[in-house]
């Protein structure tokens, strides 16, 4: 299938950080994308648009997650709509149920969960973190059960066919024949991949016969699909203007594999200005025309930047320590208060009034011994979101946000009433800078992504001048 400007794209993710990563991967000179947090607005509104819907289904039951996928598919017109299902590269979530829902009605499904940018490959159907198989790592330490031993294992009862790396890297005809044979037998095609070039080949072959084949993969596959669409369409003049403006300011648009590393490093050095305006309305889309309104530009001048760390990843403590060393105010909230039974009450220890600097909020570190009664990850995140919403409500004016962990990001934005986001660029892989329709900056990042300097780089990107970052001498 050759990509055409008339085609719509619907992507569905099971958490918000994954949805943001997908939107950034799909956005290009030719494709505008948006992240939607409410299902009724999920359908791509006009040709050439990629809508990414956060189903918020990571922690739902398998049956509920499958229903959410089917409901999302029903929102979009069939025939000219490409469908991408974003899954976790570590195979967490309701993958089996969601892929079964995608395959309903006999639709062909191609699965390629490799994420080369994070060193996650699929070899012989097994996810590897570097050279180590997923099931031999501690990547699932926060999950209630053990990781699947392979991608077919994660797909449960689905009939699968492995497309080995030798086929992926063979001629286009060989790969296309392997995929066609698998789909003709009603099997889910599971593709090995180690590099972006491998994923590019999978996307090209999977879509060769039209948009009916549904793609399933990580942010790596989303980026490959974005490159595929960009390769076959003329540039959008309005998007080219916006890209030039944001590049001049230091933001990084999703790039090809050959330029992503260099551009990300450049962004880390010089930062991205938070006041860059969102995409403009393309020619011919006046106030009465179809299509989304452009996000409002961010307000000029310093304003609070609130970093919310909800992830339980061990690396989070060092990331917070480095922000504190840069002068950020760090507030630790008691876990028992965050998990209080009254969902209408903010934390007993409220956040301080937000100044124009950087504030980091996180739960108090876990102590040794058994988990206290009533303390669960979900209650903890919901309490954190209530505390953040209360602090933002007390502030007169806009507050920019950095949100780590997909569920943390979703709960905070739900508490603040945010229902749509537009990608601006990426600070580093997975750390996606988005804009709300009223001009606030939001950076989301999966909890497992980023090194010890990740949060520091994000803050430097949003607040490139020390006088905007420092809260004390």
């Amino acid at each position: 299938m050759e990509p055409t400007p008339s085609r719509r794209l619907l992507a569905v993710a099971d958490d918000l950080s994954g949805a943001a990563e997908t939107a950034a991967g799909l956005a290009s000179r030719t494709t505008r994308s948006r992240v939607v947090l409410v299902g009724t607005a999920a359908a791509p509104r006009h040709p050439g648009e990629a809508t990414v819907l956060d189903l918020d289904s990571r922690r739902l039951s398998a049956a509920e997650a499958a229903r959410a996928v089917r409901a999302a598919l029903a929102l979009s017109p069939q025939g000219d709509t490409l469908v991408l299902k974003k899954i976790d590269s570590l195979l967490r979530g309701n993958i089996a149920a969601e892929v079964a829902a995608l395959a309903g009605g006999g639709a062909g499904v191609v699965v390629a969960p490799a994420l080369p940018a994070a060193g996650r490959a699929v070899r012989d159907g097994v996810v590897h973190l570097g050279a180590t198989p997923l099931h031999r790592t501690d990547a699932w330490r926060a999950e209630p059960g053990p990781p699947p031993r392979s991608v077919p294992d994660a797909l449960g009862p689905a009939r699968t066919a492995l497309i080995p790396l030798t086929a992926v890297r063979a001629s286009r005809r060989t790969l296309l024949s392997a995929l066609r044979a698998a789909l003709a037998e009603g099997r889910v095609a599971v593709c090995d991949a180690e590099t972006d070039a491998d994923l590019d080949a999978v996307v090209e072959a999977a879509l060769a016969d039209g948009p009916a084949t549904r793609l399933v993969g990580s942010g790596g596959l989303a980026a490959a699909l974005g490159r595929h669409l960009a390769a076959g369409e003329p540039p959008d003049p309005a998007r080219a203007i916006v890209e030039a403006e944001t590049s001049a300011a230091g933001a990084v648009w999703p790039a090809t594999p050959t330029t992503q590393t260099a551009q990300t490093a450049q962004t880390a050095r010089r930062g991205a200005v938070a006041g860059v305006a969102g995409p403009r309305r393309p020619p011919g889309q006046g106030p009465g025309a179809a299509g989304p309104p452009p996000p409002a530009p961010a307000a000029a001048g310093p304003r609070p930047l609130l970093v919310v760390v909800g992830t339980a990843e061990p690396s989070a403590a060092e990331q917070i320590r480095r922000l504190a060393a840069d002068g950020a105010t760090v507030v630790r909230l008691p876990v028992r208060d965050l998990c209080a039974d009254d969902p209408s009450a903010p934390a007993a220890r409220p956040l301080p009034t937000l100044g124009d600097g950087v504030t980091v909020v996180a739960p108090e570190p876990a102590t040794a011994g058994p988990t206290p009664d009533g303390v669960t990850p979900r209650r903890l995140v919901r309490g954190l979101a209530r505390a953040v919403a209360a602090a933002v409500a007390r502030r007169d004016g806009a507050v920019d946000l950095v949100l780590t962990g997909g569920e943390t990001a979703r709960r905070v934005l739900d508490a603040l009433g945010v229902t749509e986001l537009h990608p601006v660029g990426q600070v580093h892989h997975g750390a996606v800078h988005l804009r709300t329709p009223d001009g606030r900056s939001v950076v989301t990042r999966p909890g497992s992504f980023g090194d010890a300097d990740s949060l520091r780089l994000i803050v430097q990107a949003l607040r490139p001048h020390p006088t905007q970052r420092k809260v004390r001498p």
Side-chain angles (χ1 to χ4, degrees), residues 393-429:
R394 292 195 303 271
R395 167 75 186 192
D396 182 19
V399 176
D400 294 330
L401 298 167
V402 177
L403 307 172
T404 70
E407 186 168 7
T408 299
R410 179 59 189 257
R411 298 287 82 78
V412 169
L413 294 179
D414 282 349
L416 296 175
V418 175
T419 60
E420 186 168 321
L421 296 162
H422 297 258
V424 175
Q426 293 195 68
V427 180
H428 64 68
H429 175 72

Side-chain angles (χ1 to χ4, degrees), residues 178-201:
L179 290 178
R180 283 174 173 168
L183 300 183
E185 294 178 359
R187 296 179 181 273
V188 174
V190 175
C191 296
D192 282 354
E194 293 180 335
T195 67
D196 286 329
D198 295 335
L199 294 173
D200 289 339

Side-chain angles (χ1 to χ4, degrees), residues 72-95:
L73 294 175
L75 291 171
S76 188
Q78 301 299 310
D80 70 340
T81 302
L82 298 174
V83 175
L84 168 70
K85 174 66 181 75
K86 161 66 171 66
I87 61 172
D88 180 46
S89 60
L90 298 177
L91 305 182
R92 295 170 297 188
N94 293 293
I95 294 177

Side-chain angles (χ1 to χ4, degrees), residues 302-303 305 322-329 355-359 456 459-460 463-473:
R303 62 189 189 189
L305 177 60
R322 295 191 183 195
L323 284 185
D326 289 346
T329 297
D356 290 336
V358 180
T359 301
R456 173 181 275 173
V459 168
Q460 290 172 355
R463 300 291 186 268
H465 303 296
T467 56
Q468 294 183 19
R469 294 200 307 271
K470 298 289 185 180
V471 294
R472 59 177 184 264

Side-chain angles (χ1 to χ4, degrees), residues 5 16 21 24 28-29 101 128-129 159 163 200 209 231 343 371 373 389 464:
L16 183 53
E21 182 188 3
S28 69
R29 290 177 180 271
H128 286 71
L129 279 60
R159 298 170 63 235
I163 310 299
D200 289 339
D209 294 328
T371 301
D373 291 342

